[in-house]
Amino acid sequence: MAPPELDALGAAARALGRADLVVVATGAGMSRESGIPTFREALTGLWARFDPEEMATEQAFRRAPARVFGWYAWRRMVVRAAVPHAGYDAIVALERLLPEVLVVTQNVDGLHARAGSRRVVELHGSLERFRCLDAGHPYPADAVPEPATEGELAPPACPRCGAPIRPGVVWFGEVLPEREVALAWEAAARCAVMLVVGTSGLVQPAAALPRVARDAGAFVVEVNPEPSDVSPFATVVCRGSAGVVLPALVARMGGSA
Ligand code: BV8
């Protein structure tokens, strides 16, 4: 009798092999093996004493713009230096093996696109996008300095209206972008398989996606070394890290990352 994780891997590989549409829904755990801390670990140094749910808000930015902007400029610098690990390559391999794959990510690090994934929906925006706080005037990412150390960084002023420049991410209390939500929810309701990778399933409304897929009859695979709020909705759970399980899945399907 194969150990349970191999059964899960085999069942997941078989379900993927039959799937017309696969949604790969990823959270911060997907980037962990590329050296990017998960959201709950993302507050280091001077920010260590803050709670992410406090820092990632418009209120925090208005109250302490240099502290919040410095955190995002630092995270962007860390992310730019990161290299997508084998789990990202495995998702790109899935895109070659299967008829239709859509990546729906909560992450703002851009690593899926950098790895070569062609269809990526960013539910929470991107560290590489900036706009002004009041009018939403776009601001060129390359004009934002890359800090040499973790520290406060005063946001630039919008050249058009003078408002402070903010990161193009979705903060807590902000609505998710309409187009991305429509794409993600439509695919979740239509997919044969949803691969849920590296998310605690705590942040709404993204956390509802595995439930949408399961309720629509999809085969839901969770890839996470730890139990999460997604686990109860999973058809099978592959208890392991993204960088190990995803390549193993593709290998079981006879593909190679
Ligand atoms: C909204 C961008 C509505 C910014 C992010 C009560 C009060 C107030 C608000 C709420 C409330 N209840 C619900 C809400 C809404 C709130 C929310 O969900 N709060 C939570 C905390 C309860 N949501 C919102 O505010 C959303 N907007 O609801 O608007 C509205 C309606 C009308 C009008 C106005 C508003 C907006 C949510 C988006 C927030 N922005 N990111 C930034 O990055 O700075 S969220 C951010 O945190 C991430 O993007 C991600 O989504 C989330 C972190 O979650 P995970 O990705 O799951 O990461 P986490 O660290 O939790 O878990 C990592 C997992 O990986 C773990 O399970 C671990 O085991 C696993 N792992 C570790 N290593 C590996 C691994 N897995 C695989 N391999 C490994 N190697």
Side-chain angles (χ1 to χ4, degrees), residues 26-33 37-41 52-53 55-56 71-72 75 85 106-108 123-125 127 169-176 197-206 222-228 240-243:
T26 63
M30 179 74 212
S31 302
R32 196 77 181 63
E33 290 149 283
T38 66
F39 191 69
R40 299 207 184 322
E41 299 162 344
E53 273 117 43
M55 282 281 277
W71 184 47
Y72 281 95
R75 285 170 64 193
H85 58 72
Q106 298 174 67
N107 300 337
V108 294
L123 290 176
H124 293 160
L127 287 171
V169 300
V170 178
W171 277 329
F172 286 100
E174 293 186 325
V175 290
L176 274 59
V197 186
T199 181
S200 59
L202 293 174
V203 173
Q204 296 295 350
E222 179 180 36
V223 177
N224 193 326
E226 304 292 333
S228 75
S241 72

Side-chain angles (χ1 to χ4, degrees), residues 34-37 44 47 68-83 108-111 114 126-130 141-142 144-151 153 167:
S34 288
I36 297 173
T44 54
W47 305 292
V68 175
F69 194 79
W71 184 47
Y72 281 95
W74 174 257
R75 285 170 64 193
R76 182 182 68 147
M77 198 274 299
V78 167
V79 159
R80 281 185 163 186
V83 175
V108 294
D109 56 34
L111 261 61
R114 208 181 311 164
S126 166
L127 287 171
E128 284 298 337
R129 281 199 292 277
F130 293 87
D142 288 341
V144 173
E146 286 198 21
T149 58
E150 293 182 270
L153 180 67

